[in-house]
């Protein structure tokens, strides 16, 4: 058992965090009391303490986000850092990031959260409700939403009030509003609905079945890649531009890759898959393979890609297809960018003369990590997994304080993803 003694007034923030971590580690090992009534009381007390810790966490995340510190560690965005390094699910990542970014605009929320007078759930709800409001509207919305909290409304109900406030402001400003509740449809057929706005814009939503989604990805993904290092558009903006190009007739070719055995195309029942791992029934795979502009990529026995290497500077189209079957996402273990949006990377650096453009010397990395690997090669550890795929692992920057994380091995070693840290809340 570890002894913890802290002078709260004299301790530094780092000492306080270390003390909280030590107490949490000890508390996690204790058995729950036999009394259910005591457990209920302790649960409420512990949850209130965790809410106050969320206040401090929001401050830490905001500082990291504003300074871009996560990029020094090899993460292209704060969201990627929270998901990969701290193992947060998408919903929690969004909540914490929005709260961190909106905290300075919500002085009442920040004060009450830090004092233990407001739960994290309410704070996150208010922050999300004002995220798209101008500062002049944010102040009034904060006061209004907190009044609903004080009246005893649930966080879910406060979220509804928040959306209504946004709708009223959008109506006042003449900006678009989202369409009503989605029409309930099945998953077999694709559908798209759109609602026009007063300024001529259009709000679009819909659903694509697996077959149409394959065509969507095969057509738009190649066009949605960053135009260069100065292209700061996000994936959604680039995808919209790609769709506009296709609709205006600026692009004609469509590429869809289906991974399957030869027997599947000749009448077998073994399922196929798309490059992102989506399973495709054999009959549907045969329909896709027969569609115009769709190219099936046949794999040899044991699913070994046919060797397609050429000693050229740039990978061929065939090589690109093979790599997209091997890498559903960026080769960097912590990165989730789809392989169809990634760039072909020479594992050992083509410019150095160490890596010919052969299929067994190539991998897929997103544009950000491709540049990061070039500028900070000492922060990328490269290994191969049992299936022969390259795995890139992010290593700490020089001089960084070492961390002990669950599931971690020696620098550059291959192992299970480090999704949680024993020093993170």
């Amino acid at each position: 058992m570890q002894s913890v003694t802290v002078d709260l007034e004299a301790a530094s923030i780092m000492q306080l965090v270390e003390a909280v971590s030590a107490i949490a580690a000890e508390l996690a090992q204790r058995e729950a009391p036999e009394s259910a009534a005591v457990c209920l009381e302790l649960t409420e007390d512990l949850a209130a303490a965790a809410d106050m810790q969320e206040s401090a966490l929001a401050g830490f995340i905001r500082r990291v986000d504003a300074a871009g510190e996560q990029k020094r560690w090899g993460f292209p965005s704060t969201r990627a850092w929270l998901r990969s390094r701290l193992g947060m699910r998408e919903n929690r990542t969004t909540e914490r990031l929005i709260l961190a970014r909106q905290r300075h605009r919500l002085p009442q929320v920040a004060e009450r959260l830090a004092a233990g007078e407001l739960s994290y759930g309410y704070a996150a709800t208010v922050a999300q409700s004002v995220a798209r409001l101008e500062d002049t509207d944010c102040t009034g919305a904060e006061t209004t939403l907190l009044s609903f909290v004080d009246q005893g409304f649930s966080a879910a109900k406060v979220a509804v009030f928040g959306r209504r406030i946004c709708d009223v402001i959008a109506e006042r400003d003449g900006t678009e509003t989202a369409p009503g509740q989605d029409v309930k449809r099945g998953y077999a057929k694709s559908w798209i609905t759109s609602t026009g706005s007063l300024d001529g814009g259009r709000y679009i939503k819909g659903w694509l079945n697996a077959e149409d989604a394959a065509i969507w990805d095969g057509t738009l993904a190649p066009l949605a890649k960053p135009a260069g290092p100065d292209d700061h558009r996000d994936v959604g903006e680039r995808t919209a531009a790609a769709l506009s190009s296709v609709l205006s007739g600026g692009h004609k070719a469509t590429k869809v890759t289906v991974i399957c055995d030869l027997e599947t195309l000749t009448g077998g029942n073994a399922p196929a898959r798309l490059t992102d791992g989506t399973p495709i029934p054999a009959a549907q795979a045969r329909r896709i393979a027969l569609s115009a502009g769709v190219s099936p990529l046949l794999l040899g026995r044991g699913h070994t890609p046919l060797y397609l290497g050429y000693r050229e500077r740039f990978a061929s189209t065939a090589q690109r297809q093979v790599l997209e079957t091997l890498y559903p996402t960026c080769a960097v273990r912590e990165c989730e960018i789809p392989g169809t949006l990634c760039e072909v990377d020479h594992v050992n650096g083509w410019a150095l003369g160490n890596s010919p453009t052969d299929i067994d010397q190539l991998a897929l990395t997103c544009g950000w990590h491709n540049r990061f690997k070039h500028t900070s090669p000492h922060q990328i550890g490269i290994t191969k997994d049992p299936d022969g795929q390259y795995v890139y692992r992010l290593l700490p920057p020089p001089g960084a304080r070492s961390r002990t994380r669950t599931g971690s091995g020696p620098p550059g070693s291959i192992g299970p993803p480090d999704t949680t840290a024993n020093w993170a809340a």
Side-chain angles (χ1 to χ4, degrees), residues 383-397:
T383 57
K384 270 190 175 183
D385 66 12
D387 295 328
Q389 294 173 248
Y390 288 100
V391 177
Y392 294 5
R393 301 299 294 270
L394 296 175
L395 306 179

Side-chain angles (χ1 to χ4, degrees), residues 58-111:
F60 298 160
I61 293 173
R62 173 170 169 76
R63 187 62 59 88
V64 170
D65 184 57
E69 173 65 12
Q70 75 285 346
K71 295 182 179 179
R72 198 167 68 93
W73 290 76
F75 297 98
S77 66
T78 306
R79 183 181 298 275
W81 166 60
L82 293 174
R83 280 200 311 258
S84 302
R85 182 77 178 187
L86 276 69
M88 294 185 190
R89 298 180 66 177
E90 183 62 29
N91 288 345
R92 179 52 67 91
T93 297
T94 299
E95 282 185 352
R96 279 179 164 157
L97 187 55
I98 290 177
L99 179 59
R101 289 175 173 174
Q102 298 298 321
R103 185 167 172 261
H104 70 288
R105 303 173 68 212
L106 300 168
Q108 297 178 68
V109 169
E111 181 180 356

Side-chain angles (χ1 to χ4, degrees), residues 108-129:
Q108 297 178 68
V109 169
E111 181 180 356
R112 293 176 61 171
L113 179 63
E117 300 171 358
L118 186 71
S119 73
Y120 166 76
Y122 280 122
T125 298
V126 175
Q128 190 164 13
S129 297

Side-chain angles (χ1 to χ4, degrees), residues 95-172:
E95 282 185 352
R96 279 179 164 157
L97 187 55
I98 290 177
L99 179 59
R101 289 175 173 174
Q102 298 298 321
R103 185 167 172 261
H104 70 288
R105 303 173 68 212
L106 300 168
Q108 297 178 68
V109 169
E111 181 180 356
R112 293 176 61 171
L113 179 63
E117 300 171 358
L118 186 71
S119 73
Y120 166 76
Y122 280 122
T125 298
V126 175
Q128 190 164 13
S129 297
V130 305
R132 296 186 178 182
L133 299 182
E134 300 291 340
D135 289 345
T136 53
D137 293 318
C138 178
T139 301
E142 178 190 24
T143 300
T144 300
L145 292 174
L146 286 178
S147 71
F148 290 130
V149 173
D150 294 335
Q151 293 175 50
F153 288 101
S154 67
K157 195 67 175 179
V158 172
V160 173
F161 293 142
R163 289 194 293 271
R164 181 56 186 153
I165 290 175
C166 293
D167 290 343
V168 170
I169 293 175
E171 291 172 4
R172 180 199 69 189

